[in-house]
Amino acid sequence: MRNLEAEANLRPSFADGTAGAGSVTRDDAPRHGLGRDSASPRRWLVPALAGAAAALAAAALYNRKQAQDAERRYPPIGGFLKIDGVRLHYIERGHGDPLVLIHGNGTMIQDFTVSGLIDRLADRYRVIAIDRPGYGYSSRPRQLWTPRAHARLFKKALAQLGVEQAVVYGHSWGTLVAVALALEAPELVRGLVLGSGYYYPTLRGDIFLLSPPAIPVIGDAMRYTISPLLARAILPGMIGRVFQPAPVPERFDRLFPKALMLRPLQLRAAAEDAALMTPSVMELEEHYRELKVPVTIITGADDQIADVGRQSERLHLELPGSEFIALPGLGHMVHHLAPDAVADAIDRTAQRSRPVQSLD
């Protein structure tokens, strides 16, 4: 009987494909098949991850080289202040009553030199323009850089420069800083000129597009690898949009240091400012009526970035005594497209803000 049982256990599989009781085929074949299936993803996953890591490393090296080249080509054009651990890059031109210029998101103090605005004003004002934290050659320590945080920093910077009172021109995101400065230091700001500003919260798709580099860790990885490459690809379109419906001025295209805009620190600053824009105006709009200085609101009538009716015109209606100027056929970058009109608005605001001289 033992021999018969042994023979039965050694019989091959049945003809219908099922295995005998002692068959090796039934037990081992599926295990071999599962082994092959589970190993196959690993065969392509490891090389794919290695390739992605190599590509990101190459992108980081490329972007670092591009940033270094940009800084060699466009070195600092002004001096530096050290305020509360922040290194601020600024320029100062001309003589007369102080005038402070505050730039918008993504740009830097060359916004005012390339536009010719500083040249138009330096013969009658002491013009001061400061790179906001993270832009141009100003540092940006990790903190929440709200308009009020900017304002407190600028107040100290201007005190260090010996400025006791000033007219302030802010453009785009810079209007938020200008308003915050007038609220934080009413004794310092004697007149406001607000160009192409955003003053009331709305749904904005560009916030979602521009904000990812602000995300901690993930955003840090992006701004050293993918983000500069994407920004370089979309930059011409973005520049065209801020000037629409007018064409991009040849002077801007030729002289503005666009390569500095693509450095990792500046991409983080722009992303953080974009993410903070709506919550910032939600806080500031509660205080607009506290402004007690002359205010001039100037904008392109066909601004494609900030809706004129919902923003500039609405603020004008909320501020009795404010002056409202809408320039037909012009877009967001009014100080590039109409620098004389902006200079005139600054002159009128400065004149309105001077105390009336006694006739005695």
Side-chain angles (χ1 to χ4, degrees):
M1 289 292 294
R2 269 193 226 105
N3 290 338
L4 290 175
E5 290 173 0
E7 288 176 11
N9 288 333
L10 293 174
R11 286 176 187 167
S13 302
F14 293 105
D16 63 1
T18 59
S23 172
V24 177
T25 304
R26 184 187 63 187
D27 295 328
D28 290 351
R31 281 201 297 271
H32 290 317
L34 285 173
R36 286 192 298 270
D37 291 344
S38 60
S40 58
R42 288 197 294 271
R43 281 202 297 269
W44 61 262
L45 183 59
V46 173
L49 291 175
L56 291 175
L61 291 173
Y62 173 78
N63 292 325
R64 181 181 178 185
K65 175 68 163 52
Q66 292 293 107
Q68 291 172 341
D69 290 347
E71 291 176 351
R72 277 194 294 268
R73 184 178 178 186
Y74 302 108
I77 61 174
F80 290 90
L81 299 170
K82 193 67 175 289
I83 311 290
D84 294 342
V86 182
R87 186 172 182 252
L88 286 178
H89 178 232
Y90 76 101
I91 58 172
E92 187 174 349
R93 302 283 188 272
H95 302 278
D97 292 337
L99 169 66
V100 178
L101 308 179
I102 305 176
H103 66 79
N105 193 358
T107 182
M108 59 203 86
I109 56 180
Q110 283 90 338
D111 203 23
F112 302 121
T113 59
V114 172
S115 67
L117 187 62
I118 289 180
D119 290 340
R120 283 168 168 79
L121 296 165
D123 63 339
R124 54 195 183 278
Y125 297 98
R126 178 190 175 193
V127 185
I128 299 167
I130 303 174
D131 275 332
R132 293 197 294 107
Y135 297 94
Y137 281 94
S138 290
S139 64
R140 189 176 178 105
R142 289 282 190 181
Q143 70 172 70
L144 200 61
W145 284 105
T146 64
R148 288 188 183 268
H150 278 79
R152 290 188 287 269
L153 183 73
F154 277 28
K155 177 184 177 181
K156 293 178 181 180
L158 293 171
Q160 195 172 123
L161 292 171
V163 176
E164 296 180 354
Q165 282 195 319
V167 173
V168 178
Y169 171 71
H171 176 255
S172 193
W173 213 94
T175 62
L176 305 182
V177 180
V179 168
L181 186 59
L183 294 171
E184 290 278 333
E187 75 288 349
L188 172 63
V189 178
R190 64 184 185 91
L192 282 175
V193 183
L194 306 175
S196 306
Y198 178 75
Y199 311 105
Y200 300 95
T202 58
L203 289 175
R204 293 180 61 102
D206 56 344
I207 292 177
F208 299 100
L209 175 66
L210 298 175
S211 297
I215 302 170
V217 183
I218 295 174
D220 291 335
M222 289 179 63
R223 64 191 177 90
Y224 282 98
T225 55
I226 300 170
S227 293
L229 303 177
L230 295 175
R232 192 180 306 277
I234 67 175
L235 186 61
M238 293 179 64
I239 290 174
R241 185 164 177 256
V242 297
F243 281 99
Q244 286 176 351
V248 179
E250 181 275 336
R251 179 180 173 88
F252 180 93
D253 201 42
R254 176 169 48 88
L255 297 178
F256 193 81
K258 295 184 283 292
L260 292 178
M261 301 169 69
L262 304 172
R263 294 169 301 158
L265 178 60
Q266 187 146 331
L267 290 175
R268 172 166 72 86
E272 290 175 350
D273 284 355
L276 281 173
M277 187 163 59
T278 298
S280 293
V281 298
M282 291 175 70
E283 188 273 327
L284 287 175
E285 71 170 320
E286 302 296 324
H287 303 279
Y288 292 151
R289 289 185 175 272
E290 298 172 20
L291 296 170
K292 303 302 180 184
V293 298
V295 177
T296 300
I297 302 160
I298 185 168
T299 184
D302 298 294
D303 192 333
Q304 308 291 303
I305 304 299
D307 183 275
V308 175
R310 293 181 178 181
Q311 302 298 333
S312 293
E313 190 171 3
R314 180 180 171 184
L315 181 65
H316 167 58
L317 295 174
E318 186 169 345
L319 296 178
S322 63
E323 182 181 358
F324 175 55
I325 304 166
L327 303 172
L330 300 186
H332 196 63
M333 304 295 278
V334 287
H335 53 283
H336 286 274
L337 299 169
D340 289 332
V342 174
D344 289 344
I346 290 170
D347 286 339
R348 287 198 303 277
T349 306
Q351 187 62 42
R352 289 166 59 204
S353 68
R354 287 196 178 97
V356 177
Q357 299 294 324
S358 172
L359 298 178
D360 297 337

